[in-house]
Amino acid sequence: METAQLDQQTATALTIEQLFAHWQGHRNLTRKTIEAFSEDNLFNYSVGGMRPFALLVVEILDLTGPGIEGIVTRKWKGMEELAHTTGNYPKTKEGLLAQWDATTDILNQLAPLVTYARLQDTEAAFGMYEDKIHSTLMYIIDNEIHHRAQATVYLRSLGIAPPPFWERF
């Protein structure tokens, strides 16, 4: 049977629900990583010219919330509208965590609306990254993991043990 003829049950290694649950595990771990920083280090500490973790968190939030909204509604914000570009983001750890939680709520509301067929569509995410939606979704998840790894380096260089990566819930 050719790939184009396969249905979702046959063609997927995991369901959409399992994918989003996996992502939420990563989001839980990233939240724990944010909590591990002092407010000063969250916003000001960096290594080797990388951005402070707070700015990386803002980028993660920009891709997650507007990303899932774009996937579901087919209406994408432009990069110039996003907080990591405009500078309009919380300037406290408490504010960042509140925005993190609000974005998690948005993800929980919208993720069930994503269909297998939608993942196969090609679209320009944020008006500039044309690809299959499943690739865009994986990029958003990978970006979060990448930035959390940077935060792990920051924490270790500060003498703080990062949350174990396997403790996602």
Side-chain angles (χ1 to χ4, degrees):
M1 186 181 285
E2 289 187 36
T3 304
Q5 296 173 330
L6 297 176
D7 64 17
Q8 180 180 359
Q9 291 297 324
T10 309
T12 57
L14 64 153
T15 66
I16 293 170
E17 294 80 13
Q18 290 168 324
L19 173 64
F20 280 104
H22 179 78
W23 187 8
Q24 286 293 24
H26 281 291
R27 291 187 53 72
N28 244 358
L29 182 53
T30 303
R31 191 182 198 291
K32 290 177 188 179
T33 304
I34 296 166
E35 291 172 334
F37 279 84
S38 69
E39 185 153 345
D40 180 53
N41 286 332
L42 180 63
F43 284 88
N44 298 305
Y45 187 76
S46 70
V47 173
M50 295 187 292
R51 294 172 284 170
F53 188 44
L55 297 181
L56 303 176
V57 170
V58 172
E59 181 183 310
I60 294 167
L61 290 166
D62 279 352
L63 294 181
T64 301
I68 193 68
E69 289 170 355
I71 289 169
V72 170
T73 67
R74 299 174 188 266
K75 296 176 185 163
W76 294 89
K77 289 184 176 182
M79 291 299 277
E80 71 283 354
E81 299 175 74
L82 302 178
H84 75 280
T85 304
T86 66
N88 185 22
Y89 53 83
K91 305 295 194 271
T92 65
K93 181 176 176 178
E94 180 182 334
L96 253 159
L97 287 168
Q99 188 172 348
W100 189 269
D101 294 340
T103 300
T104 298
D105 289 343
I106 291 167
L107 184 58
N108 286 335
Q109 291 169 15
L110 296 181
L113 304 177
V114 178
T115 64
Y116 177 76
R118 177 66 176 132
L119 294 177
Q120 307 317 307
D121 291 342
T122 299
E123 210 163 271
F126 304 104
M128 56 192 315
Y129 303 110
E130 188 165 333
D131 206 343
K132 296 277 189 185
I133 293 298
H134 64 80
S135 292
T136 299
L137 183 57
M138 295 306 292
Y139 174 84
I140 293 169
I141 296 168
D142 290 347
N143 184 68
E144 178 175 337
I145 296 166
H146 163 72
H147 287 320
R148 189 177 64 242
Q150 288 174 276
T152 296
V153 171
Y154 292 178
L155 288 170
R156 289 197 183 281
S157 72
L158 289 165
I160 301 168
F165 77 91
W166 57 87
E167 291 183 9
R168 296 189 189 145
F169 292 99

